[in-house]
Amino acid sequence: MAGSGVRGAIAGTVVFLAALIAAMAGMMLVAPFGLTVPEAVVWPLAVGFGALVAALAGGWAANAVAVDRSRSRFYAISGATEAAAVLVITVTTVLRLTAAGDFLPNLFSLIVITAAVLALIVNAVVWRYRGKTSSLRRDLTATAGLLALGIVFVLTGITVTCSVTTCTP
């Protein structure tokens, strides 16, 4: 648990900020593919990868500041965050297609808002999925495996899309 009082508030803030920065970085790494690949494909890939990176960063930040020395369960945290990311993708897509999309001046503001929502989700999920038994080797292996899976998923999505449709160089 994050703890209570000032220590818990600081721990929650650290996890939120780590997840926010990681979500924005992850989304910004995938977003430039939107210059050549259709945006309808790149947006879900960017949000999904941003959610994965945010979950991992939030989990590691929680490990660093947890008062009770519990460890993050990275597979559970990533899975719950990705499930929530599907809902975020659906809501943002619907908002962009309706008149509510006129209130978002550009794609960057949508990325910032989406990253903040993902960081809030990670902050809630990371304190829920904690365990006592874990090792550093297992945590590093899980992190590396999940990151590799995320990269493969993004590249596969782009490759398949460009095989089926026309991607402008």
Side-chain angles (χ1 to χ4, degrees):
M1 278 299 186
S4 59
V6 174
R7 188 174 283 180
I10 292 172
T13 303
V14 167
V15 169
F16 173 78
L17 289 175
L20 177 67
I21 292 168
M24 289 201 46
M27 290 171 67
M28 291 302 240
L29 285 173
V30 178
F33 287 112
L35 295 171
T36 59
V37 181
E39 191 177 333
V41 174
V42 173
W43 178 249
L45 291 175
V47 174
F49 190 71
L52 175 65
V53 175
L56 295 174
W60 280 104
N63 284 350
V65 299
V67 177
D68 59 355
R69 297 289 179 211
S70 60
R71 306 291 294 177
S72 295
R73 294 179 12 212
F74 287 103
Y75 294 119
I77 293 168
S78 299
T81 305
E82 289 297 331
V86 170
L87 181 64
V88 170
I89 291 166
T90 304
V91 169
T92 54
T93 302
V94 168
L95 285 177
R96 291 178 69 204
L97 293 176
T98 61
D102 295 338
F103 294 107
L104 299 169
N106 55 34
L107 189 59
F108 182 73
S109 63
L110 183 62
I111 288 174
V112 171
I113 292 167
T114 304
V117 169
L118 289 174
L120 287 171
I121 291 167
V122 167
N123 198 16
V125 168
V126 78
W127 299 114
R128 169 70 177 96
Y129 294 111
R130 307 284 297 163
K132 294 287 183 196
T133 59
S134 186
S135 68
L136 181 61
R137 177 177 287 166
R138 189 177 308 146
D139 290 347
L140 288 172
T141 303
T143 301
L146 287 168
L147 273 176
L149 185 65
I151 291 168
V152 166
F153 188 74
V154 168
L155 292 178
T156 303
I158 291 170
T159 302
V160 168
T161 300
C162 290
S163 297
V164 175
T165 65
T166 302
C167 295
T168 56

